[in-house]
């Protein structure tokens, strides 16, 4: 009996040592703290990783984008990117520097064996810089080629275009925030330094798409099964001056368009959006300058400024290239106005040149569908590139656009050289618009934005978004993105006629049908006379009847025949977190220790039994 008692004490001591060893291993390197609740325990075990996901998009012919390969979360060890990634033994989550992203994805697209070893991808953010990948363009060499009004659709308009966003990836991809980049870098570096063979840092991806669950692989089937929504949103158009509906005189219309969104590899973060949105900023600044002209009501033509799809500008002394599809009297008038506008500014500040005759036509822009629909449309695309897409000065662009619009609108009616020379751009406003629309600090928490809207997120999101609910002329504001609401309010105020009465609050609504409420979200809205409207923007192949459905192509609509009908998959949740798990080495150690204990226990029991029998025989 004494032997048996000693044996149990020895076994308990061994188990206690193993338990302490395990606790020591799991708590190594972790600051001591008290755990008082289940959430405390979860926070201790799991680190939520902030980032921007790549999601699954669909069109008529197939899928692009990223998603978990199945219906469950993906868990994989985090591995730093190396040039010899082909040596990967098991599926891993690769931590990739931003400047290696394009080459890495091109490699995965061409090397299927390597792609099978990729469980997920984590793209780091440049610390201390804007969240950009310089020279990175996920679209192709000829964006929007299907809408080109000419046959040469292989022209290289965009040399930086990699086309990586048009591929399908059966693994999750996240762009990390700066804070999460620092945290994961620390985790990976710590693992490299300590060479911990017993624990592994893993990433857990929750990017399960509803289309994957249902088995939809194109827009037609996912819309039918209601597992996706159409890409789209609300564009904005506004008239300067406001349209007088009671007037019997109809004025010709001048359209000035710029982009308010951009193609994006990641859903909530758009690389290169600065160049696209800078065109919108130039247009907003131009409209602001025109709104101070006294005789806008005497314009012989109506100026409509549209926030939609276009190209952009940057900063610096500019040479602009004017692109036309076919020379006509209308296009010549626009070119003449641009040249006069440039000449009216400081000498040599802006130069307007005709684009190279070797170009097949106008570059990718929102003007292409106009020409495709009506080749006789008079229009010009103004860019700071000749044969390749590039960027130029926001302030200079705004100046030439504002003065050119004045020349065109007042042509033959009320033109004044002195008024032309007085149209100047508010450089401070441009700086404020850049801060509001292109940065996260202050972003939409800037004073200008706070005067108009209550933002859902401080950081501007220029992703195109999806159509929520039925498309209507006066949408619910919760179905309209922050950028569209900001642009609507800005244009409504700048292109408006204020009431003579000082009491123009719209807390009780505006009395006239020609009035709109500017700043209604802030609770300090003001009624103004303005012709500013939201315009639903989505595929012409779609119709909403208790849900979205695809309609047949129309032979009279050539644009509908090439419309890809883009949609975005639903999902229940999207998340990314990191935590430690026991390595295979540790699991094997525990297994062998358990086997050894089992065997030793069995031997000890046999020995104890033998000793007990001998003791009983002696007695």
């Amino acid at each position: 009996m004494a032997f048996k008692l000693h044996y149990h004490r020895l076994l308990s001591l061994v188990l206690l040592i193993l338990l302490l060893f395990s606790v020591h291993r799991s708590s190594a390197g972790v600051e001591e703290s008290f755990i008082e609740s289940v959430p405390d325990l979860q926070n201790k075990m799991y680190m939520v990783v902030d980032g921007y996901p790549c999601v699954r998009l669909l069109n008529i012919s197939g899928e692009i984008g990223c998603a978990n390969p199945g219906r469950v979360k993906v868990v994989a060890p985090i591995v730093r990117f190396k040039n010899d990634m082909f040596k990967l033994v098991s599926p891993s989550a690769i931590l990739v520097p931003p400047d290696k992203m394009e080459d890495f994805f091109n490699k995965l697209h061409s090397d299927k064996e390597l792609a099978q070893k990729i469980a997920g991808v984590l793209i780091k953010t440049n610390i201390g810089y804007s969240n950009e990948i310089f020279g990175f363009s996920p679209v192709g060499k000829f964006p929007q080629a299907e809408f080109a009004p000419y046959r040469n659709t292989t022209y290289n308009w965009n040399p930086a275009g990699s086309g990586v966003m048009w591929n399908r990836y059966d693994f999750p991809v996240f762009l990390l925030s700066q804070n999460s980049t620092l945290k994961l870098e620390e985790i990976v570096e710590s693992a490299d330094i300590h060479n911990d063979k017993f624990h592994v840092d893993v990433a857990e991806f929750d990017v399960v798409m509803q289309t994957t669950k249902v088995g939809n692989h194109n827009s037609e089937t996912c819309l039918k099964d209601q597992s996706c929504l159409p890409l789209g949103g609300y564009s904005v158009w506004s008239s300067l001056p406001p349209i007088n509906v009671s007037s019997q005189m109809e004025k010709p219309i001048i359209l000035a368009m710029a982009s308010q969104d951009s193609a994006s590899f990641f859903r909530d973060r758009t690389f290169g959006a600065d160049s696209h949105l800078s065109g919108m900023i130039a247009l907003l600044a131009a409209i602001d300058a025109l709104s101070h002209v006294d005789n806008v009501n005497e314009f012989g033509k109506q100026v409509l400024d549209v926030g939609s799809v276009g190209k952009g500008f940057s900063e610096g002394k500019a040479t602009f290239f004017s692109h036309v599809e076919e020379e006509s009297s209308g296009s010549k008038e626009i070119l003449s106005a641009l040249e006069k506008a440039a000449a009216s500014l400081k000498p040599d500040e802006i130069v307007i040149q005709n684009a190279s005759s070797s170009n097949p036509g106008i570059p990718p822009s929102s003007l292409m569908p106009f020409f495709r629909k009506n080749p006789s449309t008079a229009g010009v695309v103004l860019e700071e590139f000749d044969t390749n897409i590039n960027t130029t000065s926001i302030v200079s662009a705004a100046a030439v656009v504002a003065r050119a619009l004045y020349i065109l609108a007042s042509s033959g009616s009320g033109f004044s050289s002195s008024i032309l020379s007085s149209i100047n751009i508010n450089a401070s406003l441009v700086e404020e618009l850049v801060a509001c629309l292109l940065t996260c600090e202050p972003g939409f928490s800037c004073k200008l934005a706070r005067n108009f809207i209550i933002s859902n997120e401080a950081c501007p999101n220029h992703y195109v978004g999806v159509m929520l609910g039925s498309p209507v002329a006066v949408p619910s504001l919760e179905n309209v993105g922050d950028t569209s609401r900001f642009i609507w309010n800005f244009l409504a105020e700048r292109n408006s006629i204020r009431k003579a009465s000082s009491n123009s609050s719209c807390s009780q609504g505006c009395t006239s049908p020609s009035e709109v409420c500017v700043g209604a979200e802030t609770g300090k809205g003001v009624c103004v006379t303005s012709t500013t409207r939201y315009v639903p923007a989505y595929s012409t192949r779609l119709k909403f009847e208790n849900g979205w459905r695809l309609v047949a192509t129309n032979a009279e609509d050539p644009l509908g025949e090439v419309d890809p009908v883009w949609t975005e998959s639903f999902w229940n949740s999207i998340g990314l977190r990191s935590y430690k798990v026991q390595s295979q080495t540790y699991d094997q150690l525990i297994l062998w220790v358990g086997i050894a204990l089992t065997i030793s226990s069995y031997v000890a029991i046999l020995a104890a039994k033998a000793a007990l029998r001998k003791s009983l025989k002696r007695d």
Side-chain angles (χ1 to χ4, degrees):
M1 294 297 292
F3 177 85
K4 189 174 182 179
L5 181 61
H6 285 301
Y7 165 74
H8 280 297
R9 287 179 177 174
L10 179 61
L11 184 59
S12 298
L13 180 61
V14 171
L15 291 175
L16 179 61
I17 292 173
L18 286 173
L19 178 62
L20 291 174
F21 173 74
S22 177
V23 171
H24 171 73
R25 294 295 307 176
S26 63
S27 62
V30 179
E31 294 182 6
E32 186 177 347
S33 62
F34 294 102
I35 297 176
E36 299 179 349
S37 63
V38 173
D40 289 344
L41 179 60
Q42 289 179 332
N43 292 335
K44 201 73 173 175
M45 294 174 62
Y46 304 105
M47 182 186 78
V48 176
V49 181
D50 298 322
Y52 310 94
C54 165
V55 299
R56 179 70 78 219
L57 302 180
L58 305 91
N59 58 26
I60 289 295
S61 57
E63 303 170 284
I64 67 170
C66 321
N68 285 17
R71 302 184 179 187
V72 297
K73 298 177 182 179
V74 171
V75 179
I78 302 173
V79 177
R80 190 190 301 274
F81 171 84
K82 297 179 182 178
N83 291 326
D84 57 348
M85 298 306 299
F86 61 89
K87 295 181 180 179
L88 285 174
V89 177
S90 59
S92 304
I94 313 301
L95 187 61
V96 181
D99 58 336
K100 300 294 183 181
M101 175 182 170
E102 184 176 339
D103 292 339
F104 180 67
F105 278 98
N106 284 330
K107 178 66 174 175
L108 293 180
H109 186 62
S110 60
D111 190 339
K112 302 302 181 184
E113 183 178 350
L114 175 60
Q116 291 178 355
K117 297 179 181 178
I118 306 301
V121 178
L122 303 166
I123 306 298
K124 297 192 294 184
T125 291
N126 286 318
I127 305 301
Y129 298 91
S130 62
N131 202 358
E132 294 292 328
I133 300 178
F134 298 103
F136 172 75
S137 177
V139 296
K141 303 294 184 183
F142 193 152
Q144 305 176 42
E146 61 270 25
F147 298 110
Y150 43 83
R151 294 184 178 180
N152 184 1
T153 57
T154 60
Y155 189 78
N156 189 0
W157 282 110
N158 183 23
S162 62
V164 295
M165 71 172 290
W166 303 121
N167 300 326
R168 167 180 167 161
Y169 304 101
D170 287 324
F171 50 78
V173 181
F174 269 83
L175 170 67
L176 302 175
S177 66
Q178 289 198 3
N179 186 46
S180 292
T181 296
L182 289 172
K183 289 181 178 179
L184 287 184
E185 279 281 10
E186 290 177 3
I187 288 173
V188 173
E189 288 179 7
S190 177
D192 291 341
I193 293 173
H194 296 98
N195 193 25
D196 188 351
K197 296 181 179 179
F198 297 100
H199 296 87
V200 176
D201 293 288
V202 299
E204 181 187 86
F205 299 89
D206 184 5
V207 193
V208 179
M209 297 288 112
Q210 185 65 23
T211 52
T212 303
K213 291 182 177 181
V214 178
N216 298 139
H217 300 290
N218 58 57
S219 291
E220 184 173 9
T221 58
C222 76
L223 288 171
K224 182 179 179 180
D225 292 336
Q226 298 186 347
S227 63
C228 63
L229 281 175
L231 286 186
Y234 284 90
S235 298
V236 179
W237 70 264
S238 185
S239 174
L240 179 69
I243 297 174
N244 185 355
V245 294
S246 62
S247 174
Q248 299 298 318
M249 183 180 67
E250 292 185 358
K251 295 182 179 180
I253 293 175
I254 303 170
L255 280 179
M257 295 181 290
S259 170
Q260 67 181 54
D261 52 44
S262 183
S264 176
F265 187 90
F266 301 99
R267 190 187 193 280
D268 299 314
R269 181 58 178 154
T270 305
F271 288 132
D274 288 13
S275 62
H276 290 272
L277 265 294
S278 56
M280 171 55 68
I281 292 173
L283 180 58
L284 295 179
I287 296 303
D288 172 74
L290 283 175
S291 69
H292 292 90
V293 175
D294 292 332
N295 65 337
V296 291
N297 289 316
E298 299 176 12
F299 283 174
K301 298 177 182 178
Q302 199 77 37
V303 178
L304 291 184
D305 26 282
V306 182
S308 180
V309 179
K311 295 296 169 188
F313 309 96
S314 181
E315 59 181 332
K317 179 181 176 181
T319 298
F320 290 94
F321 294 91
S322 56
H323 299 255
V324 297
E325 186 62 20
E326 292 182 4
E327 286 200 9
S328 63
S329 59
S331 62
K332 287 180 180 179
E333 182 183 4
I334 297 173
L335 288 172
S336 175
L338 290 169
E339 291 170 354
K340 289 180 181 178
S344 70
L345 297 167
K346 294 179 181 178
D348 300 327
E349 181 178 345
I350 293 179
V351 178
I352 303 293
Q353 293 184 5
N354 292 330
S356 172
S357 59
S358 64
N359 294 345
I362 60 172
S365 65
S366 53
L367 189 58
M368 290 199 303
F370 284 86
F371 281 124
R372 185 75 179 265
K373 187 75 174 179
N374 182 5
S376 63
T377 301
V380 173
V381 177
L382 187 66
E383 296 279 7
E384 198 247 342
F385 66 88
D386 185 7
T387 57
N388 299 326
I389 292 178
N390 206 331
T391 55
T392 191
S393 168
I394 294 178
V395 173
S396 297
V400 73
V401 168
R403 295 193 177 194
L405 287 174
Y406 172 75
I407 294 170
L408 291 169
S410 60
S411 177
S413 176
F415 174 80
S416 168
S417 297
S418 60
I419 292 179
L420 177 65
S421 60
S422 70
I423 298 175
N424 296 305
I425 301 302
N426 184 343
S428 297
L429 173 64
V430 171
E431 292 178 1
E432 192 170 8
L433 287 169
V434 168
C436 295
L437 291 171
L438 300 184
T439 69
C440 290
E441 294 181 4
F444 279 132
S445 61
C446 68
K447 182 178 179 181
L448 182 62
R450 292 200 313 270
N451 290 337
F452 295 139
I453 66 172
I454 303 298
S455 174
N456 296 325
E457 297 179 3
C459 195
N461 176 12
H462 304 306
Y463 181 73
V464 63
V466 293
M467 287 298 299
L468 299 171
S470 174
V472 291
V474 184
S476 172
L477 293 183
E478 63 185 13
N479 292 338
V480 184
D482 290 342
T483 302
S484 292
R485 299 199 324 276
F486 172 80
I487 292 172
W488 186 94
N489 280 273
F490 183 94
L491 292 177
E493 188 210 32
R494 293 308 197 268
N495 294 342
S496 69
I497 300 174
R498 292 256 184 153
K499 283 185 175 181
S501 170
S502 59
N503 183 20
S504 57
S505 171
C506 54
S507 57
Q508 302 298 322
C510 299
T511 56
S512 172
S514 63
E515 292 179 340
V516 296
C517 183
V518 174
E521 297 177 45
T522 65
K524 302 177 182 179
V526 176
C527 287
V528 298
T529 300
S530 178
T531 310
T532 304
R533 304 289 185 266
Y534 288 111
V535 182
Y538 58 95
S539 170
T540 57
R541 292 278 313 276
L542 295 176
K543 189 174 183 179
F544 189 89
E545 293 178 343
N546 296 322
W548 292 98
R549 68 179 183 87
L550 190 69
V551 299
T553 56
N554 185 348
E556 297 179 358
D557 182 16
L559 295 178
E561 293 181 350
V562 297
D563 190 339
V565 190
W566 288 107
T567 57
E568 179 187 84
S569 174
F570 284 127
W571 56 79
N572 289 329
S573 64
I574 287 184
L576 173 64
R577 62 181 184 176
S578 174
Y579 53 89
K580 286 184 180 292
V581 298
Q582 294 175 175
S583 68
Q584 187 175 1
T585 302
Y586 187 77
D587 290 339
Q588 290 176 351
L589 174 62
I590 295 297
L591 174 63
W592 286 112
V593 169
I595 292 174
L597 280 174
T598 302
I599 295 173
S600 61
S601 297
Y602 181 71
V603 172
I605 290 171
L606 293 178
K609 285 183 177 180
L612 184 60
R613 288 193 190 99
K614 289 181 179 180
S615 177
L616 291 174
K617 286 181 181 179
R618 290 175 184 172
D619 294 340

